[in-house]
Amino acid sequence: MTRTDEKVRYLPESKVEVLTPLSAASGVENVLRILEGRWKLVILFHLFGGKVLRFSDLERAIPAISQKMLIQQLRQMEGDGIVRRIVHHQVPPKVEYCLTDWGQALCPALDALLKWAALREPVEG
């Protein structure tokens, strides 16, 4: 019989990365590249909370976006690992979109940005 403490393997402690102004700026640049685009954040907000929406549902939810732009933005987010595309092989074709776990993890960060923006005092001009 094997003892429990011999079965359990502890993960090595992760290295704490020390950020420099240059590495932080590079990290921010990478994040902004993933989220750049007029419609990506709007699409994300419609998919937060574990929602699974069909392509046509997203079109109706965001009436100002063109079909071409919606397809483009969804494909980019799928390529970046934020959105999962689910294809149901049937007639008529059915395609659904949802957030990956990594995409869903963006929710608290974007919520914090909204709270930060709400703190802004009105600019007198």
Side-chain angles (χ1 to χ4, degrees):
M1 180 184 258
T2 308
R3 293 177 44 152
T4 305
D5 64 330
E6 293 172 359
K7 290 182 188 177
V8 176
R9 293 191 175 127
Y10 296 98
L11 294 174
E13 289 188 31
S14 61
K15 297 177 185 175
V16 177
E17 184 180 337
V18 178
L19 291 177
T20 65
L22 185 61
S23 66
S26 176
V28 168
E29 193 175 320
N30 290 335
V31 168
L32 291 177
R33 184 198 56 75
I34 291 171
L35 297 176
E36 74 182 343
R38 180 176 176 187
W39 301 105
K40 285 184 181 178
L41 293 176
V42 176
I43 294 167
L44 284 173
F45 278 105
H46 284 287
L47 293 173
F48 278 144
K51 293 180 189 167
V52 178
L53 296 177
R54 293 182 68 168
F55 182 82
S56 59
D57 295 334
L58 284 168
E59 272 186 310
R60 278 191 295 276
I62 314 168
I65 191 171
S66 70
Q67 191 177 53
K68 177 185 174 188
M69 185 56 67
L70 181 57
I71 291 168
Q72 223 173 41
Q73 300 284 277
L74 285 167
R75 293 260 167 96
Q76 286 174 6
M77 289 193 294
E78 183 186 8
D80 288 331
I82 297 172
V83 169
R84 179 176 296 118
R85 182 174 188 251
I86 305 161
V87 179
H88 299 277
H89 298 287
Q90 64 185 42
V91 176
K94 179 180 175 183
V95 179
E96 295 177 322
Y97 293 90
C98 63
L99 293 177
T100 61
D101 291 340
W102 189 59
Q104 189 65 41
L106 270 170
C107 189
L110 295 179
D111 189 45
L113 277 175
L114 287 174
K115 288 177 183 174
W116 171 78
L119 295 174
R120 183 177 181 200
E121 295 180 15
V123 179
E124 293 180 29

